[in-house]
Amino acid sequence: MDVIETLRTAKDSLYTNKVRSALTMLGVVIGVSAVILLVAIGEGARRYIRKELGELGSNILVVVPGKTSREGGMHMGTSAVRKLTYEDAVLIEKRSQNILYAVPIIVGTSKIKHEGKSRDTYVVGVGDAYFNIRNLRIAVGRAISASDVDDARRVAVLGRTVKRELMGDKNPLGAKVTLTDTKYRIVGVMELKGVALGFDVDDVVFIPVSSARELFDTDWLFNITVKVKNAEQIPSAKEDIRGLLIRRHAGKEDFTILSQDEMIAVMSKILNIMTAVLAGIAAISLIVGGIGIMNIMLVSVRERTREIGIRKALGAKNRDILFQFLIEAVALSLIGGICGIIFGGGMSLGIPYFVEFLPAHLTWWSVVVAFLFSFAVGVFFGVYPARKASFQDTIVALRYE
């Protein structure tokens, strides 16, 4: 029997039992589509994070209070954290080389009121360079200025959501809003920015960091955002900042300096682990599907025992029988794999249009891996039934009822 005839026989056998063949392939379809979909979601999340971090500015370092050890377990100084202060940021900007700005950030929440309307909002105290290094643009008015910070002026820049809900279409410039019983004069409104890394930048009120210290009665900073002159100077800038703060903090490294590349690398590592675990769980469906194929092929061998005997009596060799049943098993798995690729690929492409908060990006390599894996499943789980069929004794098979 040649290859063409073997394929035709396999096709006829699968077509004769259409429903059984379809149900047998279902496990492979689910497994392949799940693997492709989960990999697409993981890749989409990774691209989303990289894009969002890129939009937050370039050549950025973020100094946060507390030591986050990435090697060798917990840092011994963690229990005695000295928080970052406004003076730390001033020292970094004055003394550290290779940097352009060091912006102190204070973050809190407050109720904002205007002419009988009120809502809760985030209040972010910033230095004058913050809007520049974070690529935040002003639609109306101006941003926080250096003199606003120096004089601790009670001025505010509103996000678009806050402005719309408090003032509608009215001109906000010069109007007053109240933050925790203190009035602030509106000097600007931001351009629409949207959500960045889960934080709605439009639902924020910016005020000078010196005013935020008074508003929240605190000297502790949320972080210090540093703008380095260029990407090549980031390592030396990190060492400068690290040395300055260690000397200022009595020899303790009770802070962490993060670069955008490190943040992307950490998040990518977490996403890779999650994607691998979820794809591994989905791959179990493929194995279950393979077991289903083996089970059905064993049933098929028993049902066609007499046919096997007749073919052997007419001159078919063991390898012809083995090849025929193996082709049927691989065909079941491959057809299921192709259906799974179509289904999983379609869902991956359709998700961004129907589920806005769930990014997904279909990758070619996940399609290739899923296809090859489904082929391997067909071969692996098809060998045993095929060998069982090929080693049937001709006389016994002919007598089988």
Side-chain angles (χ1 to χ4, degrees):
M1 180 183 287
D2 58 21
V3 175
I4 300 299
E5 187 179 353
T6 302
L7 291 173
R8 187 181 298 115
T9 304
K11 185 203 72 174
D12 293 340
S13 174
L14 297 178
Y15 188 76
T16 303
N17 302 286
K18 294 189 287 295
V19 176
R20 189 172 73 178
S21 299
L23 292 176
T24 304
M25 290 186 291
L26 194 57
V28 179
V29 174
I30 294 173
V32 168
S33 57
V35 168
I36 290 176
L37 182 59
L38 291 172
V39 171
I41 291 174
E43 181 64 21
R46 182 165 32 253
R47 288 172 180 252
Y48 171 79
I49 290 171
R50 188 179 292 277
K51 173 176 171 290
E52 293 294 315
L53 285 175
E55 288 184 353
L56 291 179
S58 57
N59 305 331
I60 300 294
L61 292 175
V62 178
V63 187
V64 296
K67 180 62 179 175
T68 303
S69 177
R70 293 187 290 276
E71 298 178 10
M74 183 177 289
H75 189 272
M76 295 303 292
T78 303
S79 61
V81 175
R82 172 177 168 166
K83 297 180 179 178
L84 296 173
T85 65
Y86 183 84
E87 287 72 25
D88 289 330
V90 173
L91 178 72
I92 291 172
E93 183 161 298
K94 284 184 176 179
R95 301 281 297 279
S96 180
Q97 299 180 359
N98 304 321
I99 74 165
L100 294 173
Y101 312 106
V103 180
I105 309 292
I106 293 176
V107 177
T109 58
S110 174
K111 187 173 289 296
I112 184 170
K113 302 175 185 176
H114 176 74
E115 294 182 352
K117 295 181 180 178
S118 67
R119 69 192 305 276
D120 293 324
T121 186
Y122 283 104
V123 178
V124 183
V126 297
D128 58 292
Y130 184 79
F131 293 86
N132 180 29
I133 65 178
R134 286 300 193 191
N135 295 329
L136 298 176
R137 299 182 183 279
I138 302 298
V140 179
R142 63 173 177 85
I144 302 294
S145 67
S147 59
D148 292 333
V149 178
D150 293 340
D151 299 337
R153 291 175 183 159
R154 293 172 179 174
V155 295
V157 175
L158 304 185
R160 291 297 290 269
T161 302
V162 179
K163 184 264 178 186
R164 184 185 68 248
E165 294 192 5
L166 289 182
M167 302 178 180
D169 296 330
K170 290 170 53 180
N171 181 7
L173 297 184
K176 297 287 184 66
V177 293
T178 302
L179 295 171
T180 317
D181 300 327
T182 303
K183 290 192 178 298
Y184 286 76
R185 181 169 56 87
I186 300 171
V187 296
V189 177
M190 292 175 53
E191 277 189 358
L192 199 62
K193 184 70 176 180
V195 177
L197 295 175
F199 184 72
D200 188 354
V201 184
D202 298 326
D203 195 6
V204 170
V205 176
F206 292 99
I207 63 175
V209 65
S210 47
S211 300
R213 295 171 72 183
E214 297 176 356
L215 179 67
F216 297 115
D217 190 23
T218 181
D219 286 328
W220 307 138
L221 301 181
F222 181 69
N223 68 49
I224 301 173
T225 302
V226 178
K227 174 78 169 181
V228 184
K229 291 178 180 175
N230 56 59
E232 290 73 24
Q233 293 173 318
I234 286 178
S236 57
K238 285 183 67 176
E239 283 306 307
D240 283 347
I241 296 168
R242 180 172 173 270
L244 284 171
L245 290 182
I246 287 177
R247 287 194 291 276
R248 180 173 166 77
H249 291 200
K252 292 182 179 178
E253 188 174 352
D254 51 3
F255 55 88
T256 302
I257 306 173
L258 297 172
S259 68
Q260 285 172 300
D261 288 342
E262 288 173 333
M263 288 187 276
I264 290 172
V266 169
M267 291 184 178
S268 293
K269 186 176 181 180
I270 294 171
L271 287 171
N272 285 340
I273 293 172
M274 290 179 63
T275 302
V277 170
L278 293 174
I281 294 172
I284 293 175
S285 298
L286 275 172
I287 296 174
V288 173
I291 294 172
I293 289 174
M294 184 169 66
N295 184 44
I296 290 300
M297 291 307 299
L298 286 171
V299 172
S300 179
V301 169
R302 190 174 61 183
E303 290 176 346
R304 296 157 64 188
T305 299
R306 189 172 178 81
E307 174 193 327
I308 294 169
I310 293 171
R311 290 189 58 198
K312 280 195 165 186
L314 294 175
K317 297 180 180 178
N318 285 356
R319 67 168 182 271
D320 296 328
I321 304 299
L322 177 97
F323 191 54
Q324 178 190 343
F325 280 87
L326 190 58
I327 285 287
E328 290 182 21
V330 172
L332 277 172
S333 186
L334 278 184
I335 294 171
I338 292 170
C339 292
I341 288 171
I342 295 171
F343 190 61
M347 289 185 66
S348 301
L349 294 174
I351 278 179
Y353 297 99
F354 299 103
V355 189
E356 189 177 351
F357 63 88
L358 187 63
H361 182 85
L362 181 63
T363 57
W364 65 267
W365 60 264
S366 66
V367 174
V368 173
V369 168
F371 182 80
L372 293 178
F373 197 35
S374 64
F375 175 78
V377 165
V379 172
F380 183 81
F381 289 99
V383 166
Y384 176 69
R387 279 176 57 83
K388 188 177 177 67
S390 67
F391 288 127
Q392 292 277 359
D393 183 85
T394 306
I395 302 301
V396 173
L398 286 171
R399 289 177 177 171
Y400 187 82
E401 294 294 337

